[in-house]
Amino acid sequence: MHTVMVGTSGVTASDVLAVARAGARVELSGEAVAALAAAREIVEALAAKPEPVYGVSTGFGALATRHISPELRARLQRNIVRSHAAGMGPRVEREVVRALMFLRLKTVCSGRTGVRPEVARTMADVLNAGITPVVHEYGSLGCSGDLAPLSHCALTLMGEGEAEGPDGTVRPAGELLAEHGIAPVELREKEGLALLNGTDGMLGMLVMALADLDTLYKSADITAALTMEALLGTDRVLAPELHAIRPHPGQAASAANMAAVLKGSGLTGHHQDDAPRVQDAYSVRCAPQVAGAGRDTMAHAGLVAERELAAAVDNPVVLPDGRVESNGNFHGAPVAYVLDFLAVAVADLGSIAERRTDRLLDKNRSHGLPPFLADDAGVDSGLMIAQYTQAALVSELKRLAVPASADSIPSSAMQEDHVSMGWSAARKLRTAVDNLTRVIAVELYAATRAIELREGLAPAPASRAVIDAVRAAGVEGPGPDRYLAPDLAAADAFVRAGHLVAAAETVTGPLR
């Protein structure tokens, strides 16, 4: 099994994906253990002094003015975890919880939190045992970080609350720890606070969304190319010299992908034959510009994620010179903004795909295709309602594009008076990515059927490879009306698993 080594300088996106989705093992480097021990010595020295230090010998948030005596500090750290584990609603996905646990461990191992090495080792042990704390949908305002979700994870480290075992059964966390020989941690000064202050949940969801969108944007380029073929459009608009004069890198990449898919097509360029067109509709002609803008948005979001993956997010933090200082680095604004920005791009990509699908089904705009791609229009409805479903998904995408980060509800008696709502931005982006997959699947279903209805004209070799692969996956081709939901589900699974991209790449080579 792949092992991810956690040091003091952060982790990579591939590390997060390996742990969250592939169940990779986690180990602490010697450098990390040494940094943990050194920072802990500083915290313990401060704890022994009479002067109050936030998070070490004081209360938290609006209660930070109270100095806590030494005999109450262990209780203080337990209590912050118990009281902050106040989430409600459905459970969030296992991969999200594993990502946020791993990212919290990443920050702990930076040597900036003052947590003991044994606490970090326990965090790694829980991940390696496949124990997943029960974390709920609601409870994070994205400041101070993802407090409630992280608290539910910290509760498991203490042997309290509920968690899911490696067999998928939810049980008391203490039982699961005991079965795997893991001793619950007894939290000391600052440790409870250090386990809760971070942007780890929203960051983990950002990393996973970027990975999913990398595949989906390639998928959208492929389906746009298939639709261009089915509509007998011109691929001259994909010429690299046209995109060079507006040098957005995402646009150039998208156009190059579409051109690669269409290479050798016998369908493109026929738009002057029977129904003269000066140029294709925006949804076809401007596909690289729209998808390219989304790609550039992803690049910016990836840069933000890269910086955050290298960060040590906690409050207070232990500095190299021995100072322990309060700060506002836990605020989720940098991550929240790009999560919302991605949701806007996702909505627009879904919207343009739906417009292309509708064009394929409209006999007045499809340039010779049968109404709704039906076998016997009037007797058969064809893909009429598949487009309804796609339209419903796009309408939902537009609602999900409303930014969460523009909102703020003050909390903690106005001490935390401006919050990021980054967790909410991440949750709605996950739904948007899920729905975008379905939108692309509907366009794939319509475009492949439409190409097969163009008798006497040969599609591009890459298009042929896609059609053959999608048919082999159980998505049926043209014919009389049938129960449509299973076909759409199979198309969705085909796109979701990356098979659409893989099929095209057997001819094109790696797409950009």
PDB file of all heavy atoms in Angstrom, residues 259-292:
ATOM      1  N   ALA A 259     -10.053  20.046 -31.098  1.00  0.00           N
ATOM      2  CA  ALA A 259      -9.451  19.789 -32.407  1.00  0.00           C
ATOM      3  C   ALA A 259      -8.883  18.382 -32.482  1.00  0.00           C
ATOM      4  O   ALA A 259      -8.990  17.704 -33.518  1.00  0.00           O
ATOM      5  CB  ALA A 259      -8.363  20.828 -32.694  1.00  0.00           C
ATOM      6  N   ALA A 260      -8.282  17.923 -31.382  1.00  0.00           N
ATOM      7  CA  ALA A 260      -7.718  16.574 -31.366  1.00  0.00           C
ATOM      8  C   ALA A 260      -8.806  15.520 -31.510  1.00  0.00           C
ATOM      9  O   ALA A 260      -8.641  14.521 -32.215  1.00  0.00           O
ATOM     10  CB  ALA A 260      -6.933  16.361 -30.077  1.00  0.00           C
ATOM     11  N   VAL A 261      -9.940  15.739 -30.845  1.00  0.00           N
ATOM     12  CA  VAL A 261     -11.050  14.795 -30.936  1.00  0.00           C
ATOM     13  C   VAL A 261     -11.624  14.774 -32.357  1.00  0.00           C
ATOM     14  O   VAL A 261     -11.997  13.724 -32.881  1.00  0.00           O
ATOM     15  CB  VAL A 261     -12.150  15.145 -29.916  1.00  0.00           C
ATOM     16  CG1 VAL A 261     -13.394  14.292 -30.126  1.00  0.00           C
ATOM     17  CG2 VAL A 261     -11.623  14.968 -28.489  1.00  0.00           C
ATOM     18  N   LEU A 262     -11.661  15.921 -33.013  1.00  0.00           N
ATOM     19  CA  LEU A 262     -12.308  16.041 -34.322  1.00  0.00           C
ATOM     20  C   LEU A 262     -11.377  15.732 -35.494  1.00  0.00           C
ATOM     21  O   LEU A 262     -11.817  15.734 -36.649  1.00  0.00           O
ATOM     22  CB  LEU A 262     -12.864  17.462 -34.486  1.00  0.00           C
ATOM     23  CG  LEU A 262     -14.040  17.812 -33.575  1.00  0.00           C
ATOM     24  CD1 LEU A 262     -14.374  19.285 -33.661  1.00  0.00           C
ATOM     25  CD2 LEU A 262     -15.254  16.970 -33.920  1.00  0.00           C
ATOM     26  N   LYS A 263     -10.128  15.463 -35.233  1.00  0.00           N
ATOM     27  CA  LYS A 263      -9.180  15.207 -36.314  1.00  0.00           C
ATOM     28  C   LYS A 263      -9.634  14.019 -37.170  1.00  0.00           C
ATOM     29  O   LYS A 263      -9.904  12.943 -36.654  1.00  0.00           O
ATOM     30  CB  LYS A 263      -7.796  14.927 -35.732  1.00  0.00           C
ATOM     31  CG  LYS A 263      -6.707  14.793 -36.788  1.00  0.00           C
ATOM     32  CD  LYS A 263      -5.348  14.601 -36.139  1.00  0.00           C
ATOM     33  CE  LYS A 263      -4.258  14.487 -37.207  1.00  0.00           C
ATOM     34  NZ  LYS A 263      -2.919  14.295 -36.570  1.00  0.00           N
ATOM     35  N   GLY A 264      -9.761  14.252 -38.449  1.00  0.00           N
ATOM     36  CA  GLY A 264     -10.184  13.210 -39.371  1.00  0.00           C
ATOM     37  C   GLY A 264     -11.679  13.038 -39.494  1.00  0.00           C
ATOM     38  O   GLY A 264     -12.147  12.058 -40.094  1.00  0.00           O
ATOM     39  N   SER A 265     -12.449  13.972 -38.973  1.00  0.00           N
ATOM     40  CA  SER A 265     -13.913  13.855 -39.026  1.00  0.00           C
ATOM     41  C   SER A 265     -14.427  14.048 -40.449  1.00  0.00           C
ATOM     42  O   SER A 265     -13.970  14.927 -41.184  1.00  0.00           O
ATOM     43  CB  SER A 265     -14.563  14.895 -38.109  1.00  0.00           C
ATOM     44  OG  SER A 265     -15.979  14.886 -38.274  1.00  0.00           O
ATOM     45  N   GLY A 266     -15.417  13.244 -40.795  1.00  0.00           N
ATOM     46  CA  GLY A 266     -16.105  13.413 -42.059  1.00  0.00           C
ATOM     47  C   GLY A 266     -17.380  14.210 -41.927  1.00  0.00           C
ATOM     48  O   GLY A 266     -18.119  14.348 -42.915  1.00  0.00           O
ATOM     49  N   LEU A 267     -17.682  14.711 -40.731  1.00  0.00           N
ATOM     50  CA  LEU A 267     -18.914  15.459 -40.497  1.00  0.00           C
ATOM     51  C   LEU A 267     -18.683  16.961 -40.431  1.00  0.00           C
ATOM     52  O   LEU A 267     -19.528  17.737 -40.873  1.00  0.00           O
ATOM     53  CB  LEU A 267     -19.600  15.011 -39.209  1.00  0.00           C
ATOM     54  CG  LEU A 267     -20.357  13.680 -39.256  1.00  0.00           C
ATOM     55  CD1 LEU A 267     -19.417  12.519 -39.020  1.00  0.00           C
ATOM     56  CD2 LEU A 267     -21.465  13.659 -38.208  1.00  0.00           C
ATOM     57  N   THR A 268     -17.576  17.398 -39.852  1.00  0.00           N
ATOM     58  CA  THR A 268     -17.359  18.834 -39.697  1.00  0.00           C
ATOM     59  C   THR A 268     -17.134  19.490 -41.056  1.00  0.00           C
ATOM     60  O   THR A 268     -16.606  18.878 -41.990  1.00  0.00           O
ATOM     61  CB  THR A 268     -16.143  19.115 -38.798  1.00  0.00           C
ATOM     62  OG1 THR A 268     -14.998  18.439 -39.333  1.00  0.00           O
ATOM     63  CG2 THR A 268     -16.393  18.641 -37.379  1.00  0.00           C
ATOM     64  N   GLY A 269     -17.553  20.745 -41.155  1.00  0.00           N
ATOM     65  CA  GLY A 269     -17.335  21.497 -42.379  1.00  0.00           C
ATOM     66  C   GLY A 269     -18.435  21.364 -43.402  1.00  0.00           C
ATOM     67  O   GLY A 269     -18.327  21.902 -44.509  1.00  0.00           O
ATOM     68  N   HIS A 270     -19.535  20.668 -43.080  1.00  0.00           N
ATOM     69  CA  HIS A 270     -20.625  20.494 -44.038  1.00  0.00           C
ATOM     70  C   HIS A 270     -21.719  21.550 -43.877  1.00  0.00           C
ATOM     71  O   HIS A 270     -22.772  21.434 -44.479  1.00  0.00           O
ATOM     72  CB  HIS A 270     -21.251  19.097 -43.868  1.00  0.00           C
ATOM     73  CG  HIS A 270     -20.389  18.001 -44.388  1.00  0.00           C
ATOM     74  ND1 HIS A 270     -20.402  17.575 -45.697  1.00  0.00           N
ATOM     75  CD2 HIS A 270     -19.438  17.251 -43.769  1.00  0.00           C
ATOM     76  CE1 HIS A 270     -19.525  16.600 -45.865  1.00  0.00           C
ATOM     77  NE2 HIS A 270     -18.928  16.380 -44.704  1.00  0.00           N
ATOM     78  N   HIS A 271     -21.458  22.571 -43.065  1.00  0.00           N
ATOM     79  CA  HIS A 271     -22.525  23.529 -42.761  1.00  0.00           C
ATOM     80  C   HIS A 271     -22.888  24.411 -43.950  1.00  0.00           C
ATOM     81  O   HIS A 271     -23.860  25.153 -43.886  1.00  0.00           O
ATOM     82  CB  HIS A 271     -22.147  24.392 -41.551  1.00  0.00           C
ATOM     83  CG  HIS A 271     -20.986  25.292 -41.795  1.00  0.00           C
ATOM     84  ND1 HIS A 271     -19.716  24.824 -41.979  1.00  0.00           N
ATOM     85  CD2 HIS A 271     -20.900  26.647 -41.871  1.00  0.00           C
ATOM     86  CE1 HIS A 271     -18.886  25.837 -42.140  1.00  0.00           C
ATOM     87  NE2 HIS A 271     -19.580  26.961 -42.093  1.00  0.00           N
ATOM     88  N   GLN A 272     -22.157  24.349 -45.061  1.00  0.00           N
ATOM     89  CA  GLN A 272     -22.517  25.131 -46.245  1.00  0.00           C
ATOM     90  C   GLN A 272     -23.301  24.308 -47.273  1.00  0.00           C
ATOM     91  O   GLN A 272     -23.696  24.835 -48.311  1.00  0.00           O
ATOM     92  CB  GLN A 272     -21.244  25.679 -46.916  1.00  0.00           C
ATOM     93  CG  GLN A 272     -20.485  26.694 -46.074  1.00  0.00           C
ATOM     94  CD  GLN A 272     -21.218  28.017 -45.948  1.00  0.00           C
ATOM     95  OE1 GLN A 272     -22.188  28.274 -46.649  1.00  0.00           O
ATOM     96  NE2 GLN A 272     -20.764  28.861 -45.028  1.00  0.00           N
ATOM     97  N   ASP A 273     -23.512  23.004 -47.016  1.00  0.00           N
ATOM     98  CA  ASP A 273     -24.056  22.130 -48.047  1.00  0.00           C
ATOM     99  C   ASP A 273     -25.520  22.429 -48.379  1.00  0.00           C
ATOM    100  O   ASP A 273     -25.841  22.952 -49.430  1.00  0.00           O
ATOM    101  CB  ASP A 273     -23.902  20.665 -47.640  1.00  0.00           C
ATOM    102  CG  ASP A 273     -22.436  20.252 -47.598  1.00  0.00           C
ATOM    103  OD1 ASP A 273     -21.584  21.056 -48.022  1.00  0.00           O
ATOM    104  OD2 ASP A 273     -22.135  19.145 -47.126  1.00  0.00           O
ATOM    105  N   ASP A 274     -26.416  22.061 -47.467  1.00  0.00           N
ATOM    106  CA  ASP A 274     -27.841  22.186 -47.748  1.00  0.00           C
ATOM    107  C   ASP A 274     -28.501  23.341 -47.012  1.00  0.00           C
ATOM    108  O   ASP A 274     -29.540  23.838 -47.435  1.00  0.00           O
ATOM    109  CB  ASP A 274     -28.561  20.874 -47.374  1.00  0.00           C
ATOM    110  CG  ASP A 274     -28.027  19.699 -48.179  1.00  0.00           C
ATOM    111  OD1 ASP A 274     -27.784  19.891 -49.389  1.00  0.00           O
ATOM    112  OD2 ASP A 274     -27.833  18.618 -47.606  1.00  0.00           O
ATOM    113  N   ALA A 275     -27.932  23.736 -45.903  1.00  0.00           N
ATOM    114  CA  ALA A 275     -28.516  24.825 -45.106  1.00  0.00           C
ATOM    115  C   ALA A 275     -27.389  25.802 -44.780  1.00  0.00           C
ATOM    116  O   ALA A 275     -26.782  25.716 -43.728  1.00  0.00           O
ATOM    117  CB  ALA A 275     -29.157  24.281 -43.830  1.00  0.00           C
ATOM    118  N   PRO A 276     -27.080  26.702 -45.686  1.00  0.00           N
ATOM    119  CA  PRO A 276     -25.909  27.570 -45.513  1.00  0.00           C
ATOM    120  C   PRO A 276     -25.918  28.317 -44.181  1.00  0.00           C
ATOM    121  O   PRO A 276     -26.933  28.863 -43.764  1.00  0.00           O
ATOM    122  CB  PRO A 276     -26.011  28.536 -46.701  1.00  0.00           C
ATOM    123  CG  PRO A 276     -26.815  27.790 -47.714  1.00  0.00           C
ATOM    124  CD  PRO A 276     -27.800  26.984 -46.933  1.00  0.00           C
ATOM    125  N   ARG A 277     -24.757  28.320 -43.527  1.00  0.00           N
ATOM    126  CA  ARG A 277     -24.562  29.054 -42.280  1.00  0.00           C
ATOM    127  C   ARG A 277     -23.267  29.823 -42.410  1.00  0.00           C
ATOM    128  O   ARG A 277     -22.248  29.276 -42.837  1.00  0.00           O
ATOM    129  CB  ARG A 277     -24.431  28.085 -41.087  1.00  0.00           C
ATOM    130  CG  ARG A 277     -25.729  27.545 -40.548  1.00  0.00           C
ATOM    131  CD  ARG A 277     -25.428  26.476 -39.487  1.00  0.00           C
ATOM    132  NE  ARG A 277     -25.156  25.180 -40.091  1.00  0.00           N
ATOM    133  CZ  ARG A 277     -24.556  24.167 -39.466  1.00  0.00           C
ATOM    134  NH1 ARG A 277     -24.146  24.329 -38.226  1.00  0.00           N
ATOM    135  NH2 ARG A 277     -24.364  23.024 -40.074  1.00  0.00           N
ATOM    136  N   VAL A 278     -23.304  31.057 -42.012  1.00  0.00           N
ATOM    137  CA  VAL A 278     -22.067  31.824 -42.017  1.00  0.00           C
ATOM    138  C   VAL A 278     -21.177  31.354 -40.874  1.00  0.00           C
ATOM    139  O   VAL A 278     -19.958  31.238 -41.011  1.00  0.00           O
ATOM    140  CB  VAL A 278     -22.364  33.328 -41.899  1.00  0.00           C
ATOM    141  CG1 VAL A 278     -21.070  34.128 -41.756  1.00  0.00           C
ATOM    142  CG2 VAL A 278     -23.157  33.797 -43.105  1.00  0.00           C
ATOM    143  N   GLN A 279     -21.805  31.045 -39.730  1.00  0.00           N
ATOM    144  CA  GLN A 279     -21.052  30.611 -38.563  1.00  0.00           C
ATOM    145  C   GLN A 279     -21.982  29.851 -37.621  1.00  0.00           C
ATOM    146  O   GLN A 279     -23.202  29.984 -37.702  1.00  0.00           O
ATOM    147  CB  GLN A 279     -20.409  31.801 -37.855  1.00  0.00           C
ATOM    148  CG  GLN A 279     -21.383  32.908 -37.496  1.00  0.00           C
ATOM    149  CD  GLN A 279     -20.690  34.203 -37.092  1.00  0.00           C
ATOM    150  OE1 GLN A 279     -19.481  34.322 -37.203  1.00  0.00           O
ATOM    151  NE2 GLN A 279     -21.460  35.169 -36.625  1.00  0.00           N
ATOM    152  N   ASP A 280     -21.373  29.059 -36.753  1.00  0.00           N
ATOM    153  CA  ASP A 280     -22.163  28.261 -35.812  1.00  0.00           C
ATOM    154  C   ASP A 280     -22.615  29.114 -34.630  1.00  0.00           C
ATOM    155  O   ASP A 280     -22.073  30.188 -34.354  1.00  0.00           O
ATOM    156  CB  ASP A 280     -21.321  27.083 -35.303  1.00  0.00           C
ATOM    157  CG  ASP A 280     -20.990  26.097 -36.401  1.00  0.00           C
ATOM    158  OD1 ASP A 280     -21.915  25.715 -37.142  1.00  0.00           O
ATOM    159  OD2 ASP A 280     -19.811  25.706 -36.525  1.00  0.00           O
ATOM    160  N   ALA A 281     -23.611  28.588 -33.912  1.00  0.00           N
ATOM    161  CA  ALA A 281     -24.147  29.284 -32.737  1.00  0.00           C
ATOM    162  C   ALA A 281     -23.082  29.405 -31.645  1.00  0.00           C
ATOM    163  O   ALA A 281     -22.103  28.657 -31.608  1.00  0.00           O
ATOM    164  CB  ALA A 281     -25.358  28.528 -32.201  1.00  0.00           C
ATOM    165  N   TYR A 282     -23.297  30.339 -30.760  1.00  0.00           N
ATOM    166  CA  TYR A 282     -22.335  30.589 -29.681  1.00  0.00           C
ATOM    167  C   TYR A 282     -22.019  29.333 -28.872  1.00  0.00           C
ATOM    168  O   TYR A 282     -20.880  29.097 -28.491  1.00  0.00           O
ATOM    169  CB  TYR A 282     -22.877  31.661 -28.731  1.00  0.00           C
ATOM    170  CG  TYR A 282     -22.756  33.079 -29.201  1.00  0.00           C
ATOM    171  CD1 TYR A 282     -22.435  33.400 -30.517  1.00  0.00           C
ATOM    172  CD2 TYR A 282     -22.977  34.124 -28.311  1.00  0.00           C
ATOM    173  CE1 TYR A 282     -22.341  34.714 -30.932  1.00  0.00           C
ATOM    174  CE2 TYR A 282     -22.881  35.445 -28.706  1.00  0.00           C
ATOM    175  CZ  TYR A 282     -22.560  35.731 -30.025  1.00  0.00           C
ATOM    176  OH  TYR A 282     -22.465  37.038 -30.433  1.00  0.00           O
ATOM    177  N   SER A 283     -23.057  28.553 -28.556  1.00  0.00           N
ATOM    178  CA  SER A 283     -22.838  27.399 -27.683  1.00  0.00           C
ATOM    179  C   SER A 283     -21.875  26.394 -28.298  1.00  0.00           C
ATOM    180  O   SER A 283     -21.238  25.614 -27.579  1.00  0.00           O
ATOM    181  CB  SER A 283     -24.165  26.716 -27.350  1.00  0.00           C
ATOM    182  OG  SER A 283     -24.798  26.241 -28.525  1.00  0.00           O
ATOM    183  N   VAL A 284     -21.757  26.415 -29.640  1.00  0.00           N
ATOM    184  CA  VAL A 284     -20.811  25.551 -30.342  1.00  0.00           C
ATOM    185  C   VAL A 284     -19.500  26.296 -30.599  1.00  0.00           C
ATOM    186  O   VAL A 284     -18.412  25.823 -30.261  1.00  0.00           O
ATOM    187  CB  VAL A 284     -21.422  25.061 -31.672  1.00  0.00           C
ATOM    188  CG1 VAL A 284     -20.424  24.200 -32.442  1.00  0.00           C
ATOM    189  CG2 VAL A 284     -22.708  24.293 -31.409  1.00  0.00           C
ATOM    190  N   ARG A 285     -19.612  27.487 -31.169  1.00  0.00           N
ATOM    191  CA  ARG A 285     -18.424  28.242 -31.584  1.00  0.00           C
ATOM    192  C   ARG A 285     -17.608  28.748 -30.399  1.00  0.00           C
ATOM    193  O   ARG A 285     -16.383  28.846 -30.460  1.00  0.00           O
ATOM    194  CB  ARG A 285     -18.887  29.416 -32.453  1.00  0.00           C
ATOM    195  CG  ARG A 285     -17.770  30.219 -33.048  1.00  0.00           C
ATOM    196  CD  ARG A 285     -18.210  31.292 -34.035  1.00  0.00           C
ATOM    197  NE  ARG A 285     -19.610  31.638 -34.009  1.00  0.00           N
ATOM    198  CZ  ARG A 285     -20.070  32.887 -33.937  1.00  0.00           C
ATOM    199  NH1 ARG A 285     -19.229  33.898 -33.841  1.00  0.00           N
ATOM    200  NH2 ARG A 285     -21.361  33.135 -33.959  1.00  0.00           N
ATOM    201  N   CYS A 286     -18.275  29.082 -29.320  1.00  0.00           N
ATOM    202  CA  CYS A 286     -17.585  29.671 -28.159  1.00  0.00           C
ATOM    203  C   CYS A 286     -17.284  28.642 -27.063  1.00  0.00           C
ATOM    204  O   CYS A 286     -16.913  29.025 -25.949  1.00  0.00           O
ATOM    205  CB  CYS A 286     -18.421  30.807 -27.568  1.00  0.00           C
ATOM    206  SG  CYS A 286     -18.767  32.146 -28.716  1.00  0.00           S
ATOM    207  N   ALA A 287     -17.430  27.374 -27.378  1.00  0.00           N
ATOM    208  CA  ALA A 287     -17.167  26.352 -26.361  1.00  0.00           C
ATOM    209  C   ALA A 287     -15.768  26.479 -25.752  1.00  0.00           C
ATOM    210  O   ALA A 287     -15.612  26.388 -24.524  1.00  0.00           O
ATOM    211  CB  ALA A 287     -17.379  24.954 -26.953  1.00  0.00           C
ATOM    212  N   PRO A 288     -14.700  26.695 -26.534  1.00  0.00           N
ATOM    213  CA  PRO A 288     -13.371  26.826 -25.916  1.00  0.00           C
ATOM    214  C   PRO A 288     -13.232  28.054 -25.024  1.00  0.00           C
ATOM    215  O   PRO A 288     -12.503  28.023 -24.024  1.00  0.00           O
ATOM    216  CB  PRO A 288     -12.423  26.917 -27.123  1.00  0.00           C
ATOM    217  CG  PRO A 288     -13.189  26.375 -28.276  1.00  0.00           C
ATOM    218  CD  PRO A 288     -14.614  26.739 -28.005  1.00  0.00           C
ATOM    219  N   GLN A 289     -13.928  29.132 -25.386  1.00  0.00           N
ATOM    220  CA  GLN A 289     -13.816  30.345 -24.574  1.00  0.00           C
ATOM    221  C   GLN A 289     -14.457  30.156 -23.199  1.00  0.00           C
ATOM    222  O   GLN A 289     -13.909  30.584 -22.179  1.00  0.00           O
ATOM    223  CB  GLN A 289     -14.469  31.525 -25.307  1.00  0.00           C
ATOM    224  CG  GLN A 289     -13.642  32.078 -26.460  1.00  0.00           C
ATOM    225  CD  GLN A 289     -13.686  31.231 -27.725  1.00  0.00           C
ATOM    226  OE1 GLN A 289     -14.462  30.275 -27.827  1.00  0.00           O
ATOM    227  NE2 GLN A 289     -12.851  31.563 -28.696  1.00  0.00           N
ATOM    228  N   VAL A 290     -15.603  29.492 -23.167  1.00  0.00           N
ATOM    229  CA  VAL A 290     -16.297  29.278 -21.891  1.00  0.00           C
ATOM    230  C   VAL A 290     -15.566  28.228 -21.057  1.00  0.00           C
ATOM    231  O   VAL A 290     -15.254  28.446 -19.876  1.00  0.00           O
ATOM    232  CB  VAL A 290     -17.764  28.877 -22.134  1.00  0.00           C
ATOM    233  CG1 VAL A 290     -18.436  28.462 -20.818  1.00  0.00           C
ATOM    234  CG2 VAL A 290     -18.524  30.035 -22.772  1.00  0.00           C
ATOM    235  N   ALA A 291     -15.280  27.087 -21.658  1.00  0.00           N
ATOM    236  CA  ALA A 291     -14.563  26.051 -20.918  1.00  0.00           C
ATOM    237  C   ALA A 291     -13.163  26.522 -20.539  1.00  0.00           C
ATOM    238  O   ALA A 291     -12.655  26.196 -19.456  1.00  0.00           O
ATOM    239  CB  ALA A 291     -14.481  24.771 -21.744  1.00  0.00           C
ATOM    240  N   GLY A 292     -12.552  27.315 -21.415  1.00  0.00           N
ATOM    241  CA  GLY A 292     -11.218  27.817 -21.106  1.00  0.00           C
ATOM    242  C   GLY A 292     -11.197  28.757 -19.921  1.00  0.00           C
ATOM    243  O   GLY A 292     -10.277  28.719 -19.101  1.00  0.00           O
TER     244      GLY A 292
END
